[in-house]
Amino acid sequence: MAVHIQKRQDYISWDEYFMGVAMLSGMRSKDPNSQVGACIVSEDNKILSMGYNGFPKGCSDDEFPWAREGEPLDTKYLYVTHSELNAILNYRGGSLEGAKLYVSLFPCNECAKAIIQAGIKTVIYDCDKYEHTPSVIASKRMMDAAGVRYYKYKRSGRKIDITV
Ligand SMILES: Nc1ccn([C@H]2C[C@H](O)[C@@H](COP(=O)(O)O)O2)c(=O)n1
Ligand SMILES: [Zn+2]
């Protein structure tokens, strides 16, 4: 008699999978304060690209500044490429029309422009710690106008443990 074996029930959901990939990507960031990761996914749940915040190619992590405060030219803000923009620029396959973006921190206004222009239609974010800043307020205003849907990732509370 055939033994019927049930499929696993505790597999991770699509949202846990893609936000997990975004967060893992963020762990590559050298930013001492905020490590941000992004994962772009097609409408049919295929991973298209990933990114994390860091300095552009040729701009040394050891030479460019990581400071948050000081003279503008001596802070990271004028130099860092955000995770979302890196994910968009890392994509080698053509159009991102209709894609979804998973990101660990709500996109800023500059990334919102790139998200809209790339044709990304959905943003799933985890943290929104800068929600009261003009940058994030402007970002939401533009995404609302452009029909980009965004919603907060619902943490499952599941601990996803990977030993490598
Ligand atoms: N959606 C975002 C927002 C920020 N970033 C990057 C830019 C910086 O490297 C860091 C934020 O630094 P903080 O002001 O928190 O010290 O995160 C990003 O990649 N994506
Ligand atoms: Zn940004």
Side-chain angles (χ1 to χ4, degrees):
M1 200 174 74
V3 179
H4 181 68
I5 305 212
Q6 299 278 352
K7 71 173 184 186
R8 274 182 67 223
Q9 298 296 332
D10 60 345
Y11 55 90
I12 59 173
S13 69
W14 286 121
D15 271 6
E16 285 176 307
Y17 179 34
F18 299 133
M19 188 57 84
V21 168
M23 288 177 175
L24 188 64
S25 178
M27 292 173 78
R28 281 280 308 152
S29 175
K30 320 297 184 309
D31 191 317
N33 193 55
S34 293
Q35 301 82 44
V36 188
C39 175
I40 302 179
V41 178
S42 67
E43 285 173 283
D44 61 342
N45 292 324
K46 305 285 183 285
I47 294 178
L48 300 175
S49 189
M50 285 168 277
Y52 58 87
N53 54 325
F55 297 132
K57 282 179 196 158
C59 304
S60 168
D61 295 332
D62 298 314
E63 288 166 23
F64 277 73
W66 286 115
R68 304 182 74 227
E69 284 164 13
E71 289 300 311
L73 284 171
D74 298 329
T75 74
K76 63 186 171 184
Y77 296 108
L78 292 177
Y79 309 107
V80 169
T81 307
H82 290 192
S83 67
E84 306 91 310
L85 186 60
N86 268 329
I88 290 169
L89 296 173
N90 286 342
Y91 183 53
R92 292 284 178 270
S95 172
L96 290 174
E97 196 66 44
K100 300 180 279 188
L101 172 82
Y102 287 77
V103 63
S104 56
L105 180 60
F106 199 95
C108 74
N109 62 309
E110 292 300 328
C111 289
K113 296 174 196 174
I115 289 164
I116 292 165
Q117 294 303 83
I120 291 169
K121 289 287 180 286
T122 312
V123 172
I124 302 100
Y125 64 94
D126 181 46
C127 170
D128 195 9
K129 64 179 175 177
Y130 296 127
E131 66 180 318
H132 300 301
T133 63
S135 169
V136 170
I137 294 168
S139 171
K140 289 176 183 168
R141 190 180 290 179
M142 287 189 281
M143 289 202 270
D144 288 341
V148 175
R149 199 167 70 92
Y150 48 88
Y151 65 89
K152 188 168 170 62
Y153 172 68
K154 288 187 190 64
R155 287 191 174 210
S156 64
R158 185 208 304 258
K159 187 165 160 42
I160 299 172
D161 193 4
I162 45 172
T163 306
V164 292

